[in-house]
């Protein structure tokens, strides 16, 4: 994840379009495709975004570095699209209740699309960052960019060229070992590599 962008290295609209074209190939529950992507490529549009997210405190190093990104893509989900899709005869949840969705797949699908965008940006030689909008600033961002009330702001992908490499949380937190996170057959059971070391255990 890039946290310091070069403001003098632009990202073309065509490249952003290519990245979103790949992003929408991500999985989508019921092929609902309840996603929208709002690209902020004009400096005035990006300035409105950063003004809308401003909480009144002086910008820190993170904000200064990320706000220099020449392209932002807001990743939006639309719950109603999923509720309507799953009310159709082949799904049958005609009550349109969100109780059927202990995990909100409208957000999950958009997050997977954002991951595709991040990977595609890396392949294209770009730096990228996925970040969230503080919940208390969502309404201001919607108003600044005409986003309908029914859309959820899942996150933002910043795109550009890296100006400076800085470490994030991995500088102070280690990555969890694979055998701590991979369970086989039963939660807490040894992972594949542990079973290979001790077959039959």
């Amino acid at each position: 994840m890039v946290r310091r962008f070069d403001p003098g290295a632009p990202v073309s609209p065509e490249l952003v379009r290519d990245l979103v074209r790949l992003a929408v190939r991500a999985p989508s529950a019921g092929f609902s495709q309840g996603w929208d992507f709002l690209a902020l490529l004009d400096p005035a549009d990006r300035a409105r975004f950063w003004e809308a997210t401003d909480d009144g405190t002086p910008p820190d190093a993170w904000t200064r570095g990320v706000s220099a990104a020449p392209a932002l893509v807001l990743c939006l989900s639309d719950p109603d699209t999923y509720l309507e899709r799953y009310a159709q005869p082949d799904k049958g949840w005609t009550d349109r209740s969100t109780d059927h969705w202990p995990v909100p797949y409208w957000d999950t699908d958009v997050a997977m699309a954002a991951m595709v965008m991040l990977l595609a940006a890396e392949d294209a030689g770009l730096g990228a960052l996925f970040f969230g909008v503080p919940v208390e600033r969502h309404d201001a961002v919607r108003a600044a960019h005409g986003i309908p009330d029914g859309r959820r702001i899942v996150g933002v992908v910043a795109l550009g060229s890296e100006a400076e490499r800085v470490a994030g949380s991995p500088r102070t937190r280690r990555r969890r070992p694979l055998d701590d996170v991979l369970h086989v057959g039963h939660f807490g059971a040894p992972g594949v590599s542990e079973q290979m070391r001790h077959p039959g255990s």
Side-chain angles (χ1 to χ4, degrees):
M1 293 291 186
V2 172
R3 296 170 178 83
R4 303 287 188 275
F5 288 90
D6 180 356
V11 176
S12 72
E14 292 78 17
L15 181 51
V16 173
R17 185 178 179 86
D18 286 344
L19 295 178
V20 175
R21 180 183 294 114
L22 290 171
V24 298
R25 306 293 294 188
S28 174
F31 209 43
S32 302
Q33 303 170 81
W35 46 38
D36 293 280
F37 301 90
L38 175 58
L40 306 181
L41 308 180
D42 187 277
D45 291 331
R46 295 194 303 278
R48 277 198 298 276
F49 171 82
W50 292 112
E51 289 168 6
T53 60
D54 184 7
D55 62 1
T57 60
D60 58 12
W62 185 95
T63 302
R64 292 192 299 272
V66 177
S67 64
L72 299 175
V73 181
L74 278 62
C75 304
L76 313 174
S77 70
D78 182 7
D80 283 343
T81 294
Y82 285 76
L83 299 179
E84 291 172 8
R85 169 68 185 95
Y86 275 76
Q88 293 176 3
D90 63 323
K91 299 298 183 183
W93 290 346
T94 56
D95 59 357
R96 294 170 49 91
S97 173
T98 57
D99 291 343
H100 298 299
W101 301 89
V103 175
Y105 266 63
W106 37 89
D107 294 342
T108 300
D109 289 354
V110 170
M112 287 193 283
M115 187 69 212
V116 172
M117 198 183 311
L118 293 172
L119 294 172
E122 176 76 14
D123 283 347
L126 289 177
L129 173 73
F130 182 84
F131 66 95
V133 174
V135 63
E136 63 272 11
R137 308 309 302 169
H138 278 216
D139 287 345
V141 171
R142 286 193 189 94
H145 297 287
I147 299 170
D149 288 341
R151 297 300 195 275
R152 291 168 54 85
I153 303 172
V154 177
V156 183
V157 174
L159 299 165
S161 296
E162 187 173 35
E164 176 189 357
R165 169 59 59 174
V166 294
S169 297
R171 178 180 55 188
T172 57
R173 294 178 59 84
R174 70 180 181 90
R175 189 179 300 277
R176 291 177 64 192
L178 181 60
D179 286 335
D180 282 2
V181 299
L182 175 61
H183 313 268
V184 178
H186 190 277
F187 194 93
V192 173
S193 60
E194 185 69 19
Q195 288 189 351
M196 292 176 65
R197 287 195 292 269
H198 304 286
S201 60

